[in-house]
Amino acid sequence: KKDIPAVNFIIHEIHCRRNIEICPYCSDSIPKSEMKNHIESEHVQVTCKCRMKMENSLLKDHEASSCPLRPVLCQFCDIQLAFNKLQEHELYCGARTEPCPRCGRHVLRRELQQHPRLCG
């Protein structure tokens, strides 16, 4: 799947047919000696802690960006919790109050960042 100088093409083609296979899952060119390892490491089905099944090669991205159980931090208290629990926690946590350092009034945590502009 790469450009080859015409003078080398026949020898290159013979070499590829003898030594290279196309992966049936991802269509990458893989040395025949590494095909079994490639399939086992990249394409074997694994189960995430959220019980979703996927290829091993996709697990890292899933865990980092779309897994409902991936760890995230609450914007108000910096406690780490599962993404699927974040919204409920932040509704509760943002409704708690703290005194404003400037005016001393008790302000909802979710309004604390905007409050200094309002209290002068």
Side-chain angles (χ1 to χ4, degrees):
K1 296 185 178 181
K2 295 181 182 173
D3 290 335
I4 304 297
V7 296
N8 296 341
F9 186 78
I10 293 173
I11 292 171
H12 179 86
E13 189 176 35
I14 292 168
H15 169 79
C16 277
R17 285 186 184 177
R18 189 176 295 157
N19 298 304
I20 305 293
E21 279 185 274
I22 303 298
C23 175
Y25 300 100
C26 65
S27 300
D28 282 350
S29 300
I30 309 292
K32 286 183 179 183
S33 62
E34 296 175 21
M35 182 60 75
K36 182 179 177 187
N37 185 39
H38 167 78
I39 290 173
E40 288 174 358
S41 65
E42 298 295 320
H43 302 297
V44 69
Q45 291 286 308
V46 293
T47 304
C48 177
K49 59 188 168 193
C50 70
R51 297 188 180 148
M52 185 173 175
K53 291 185 183 230
M54 68 199 72
E55 286 187 1
N56 192 36
S57 61
L58 304 175
L59 184 61
K60 249 185 193 163
D61 285 340
H62 168 77
E63 288 176 333
S65 63
S66 61
C67 179
L69 299 179
R70 69 187 180 274
V72 290
L73 294 176
C74 170
Q75 63 178 315
F76 304 116
C77 66
D78 289 332
I79 287 178
Q80 188 175 30
L81 58 153
F83 178 80
N84 63 351
K85 304 287 185 192
L86 180 66
Q87 186 175 12
E88 180 184 347
H89 172 82
E90 285 186 342
L91 281 172
Y92 163 78
C93 196
R96 294 179 12 206
T97 61
E98 282 189 12
C100 171
R102 296 173 89 185
C103 71
R105 279 184 50 215
H106 279 74
V107 180
L108 293 175
R109 290 181 106 182
R110 67 173 156 254
E111 296 173 358
L112 204 55
Q113 283 187 330
Q114 292 84 21
H115 177 74
R117 286 183 271 158
L118 303 173
C119 74

